[in-house]
Amino acid sequence: MPEIKIAESKKSAVPNLQRGMSILEFLSKHQMSATIAELSERLGYPSASVFRITQELDEMGYLSRDPATKRFSLTNKFLMLGQPQGRERGLVETSLPAMRGLRKATGETTQICCLIEIENVILNQLTSTHPFKYSAELGARCPSYSCAPGKAIIASLPNEDREELVSRIRFKRFTPTTITNRRSFREELTKIAECGYALDRAEGMEGIHCVAAPVCDRHGYPVGAITIAGPASRILESAFEHLGGLVAEAASNIELDYGQ
């Protein structure tokens, strides 16, 4: 990997804060782990400074250090900073009872997601009770137009916000069923708004179906979506309507608690 230098354009009143953020951004953008020596070399910071900063971030829970390799990597604590917040509790905490109920009713992997820019991000997950199951890492991102939770959130946005977001999407085909143009995507969003739930017919990954419903705050603005995901052999198209009702009910239960 080529050496990466992040220049400090002007003298900062809090240089350690600037350097700490650079370390976090570097690990995030490159989705990698690194030793103190590697961070020092690639960011151009003194190793003693990198040592102090990484130790602090480790103690605060934002970094974890592998005891064998001595490499630092990001933790999932950052997901808690970015998640939508209700009056007292975050979306993840509020969603857990409904997620447990939905998994019990369907047996499938259940997730709570939100949008960051134009991507869908997984905030929390309860894996399927079946031996063969679909799962993803917390914090994993995927294009919003090719997954049920992303589509559910976008369909519930106010018209102006929805159009602005759709205009920024650059469509790419992942499977034969992926939506690849704005006209078809707008038509899909209209259907979702009418029925109250969204579908992913193996649009992002071959053989995987998803059903999702938006979760809105007390003002009616979508802050996330709850979804089930699993193999198409179990989540059948003939069951989409029934499962859509279950997911929409779970979303309503979250909203009741989230808006209090």
Side-chain angles (χ1 to χ4, degrees), residues 76-91:
N76 289 327
K77 188 172 181 179
F78 283 97
L79 295 177
M80 300 303 103
L81 295 179
Q83 69 165 298
Q85 296 289 328
R87 293 185 176 181
E88 296 183 359
R89 296 191 295 167
L91 181 60

Side-chain angles (χ1 to χ4, degrees), residues 114-173:
C114 73
L115 283 186
I116 295 182
E117 296 296 334
I118 60 174
E119 292 184 305
N120 181 72
V121 180
I122 299 173
L123 294 176
N124 200 16
Q125 173 179 252
L126 300 178
T127 56
S128 169
T129 57
H130 296 283
F132 178 68
K133 64 193 71 179
Y134 164 83
S135 67
E137 292 186 2
L138 298 187
R141 300 188 180 204
C142 66
S144 56
Y145 64 87
S146 64
C147 67
K151 291 192 286 185
I153 297 171
I154 296 172
S156 302
L157 289 170
N159 291 339
E160 185 176 340
D161 293 352
R162 182 174 63 247
E163 281 303 308
E164 191 277 332
L165 191 152
V166 171
S167 71
R168 290 191 283 126
I169 294 176
R170 299 295 176 261
F171 293 89
K172 177 182 177 181
R173 184 180 298 280

Side-chain angles (χ1 to χ4, degrees), residues 11-31:
K11 189 174 182 180
S12 172
V14 282
N16 280 347
L17 174 60
Q18 185 178 30
R19 291 175 178 179
M21 293 305 299
S22 295
I23 289 171
L24 296 175
E25 289 177 357
F26 176 81
L27 293 173
S28 174
K29 289 178 181 178
H30 298 279
Q31 297 183 333

Side-chain angles (χ1 to χ4, degrees), residues 169-210:
I169 294 176
R170 299 295 176 261
F171 293 89
K172 177 182 177 181
R173 184 180 298 280
F174 301 107
T175 74
T177 55
T178 305
I179 296 174
T180 57
N181 62 78
R182 289 186 178 81
R183 179 178 179 180
S184 296
F185 190 55
R186 289 189 178 100
E187 291 175 353
E188 178 83 351
L189 296 177
T190 299
K191 295 177 183 177
I192 294 168
E194 291 174 351
C195 71
Y197 60 88
L199 302 172
D200 170 2
R201 306 172 182 85
E203 296 162 40
M205 186 180 299
E206 289 275 13
I208 299 297
H209 282 173
C210 305

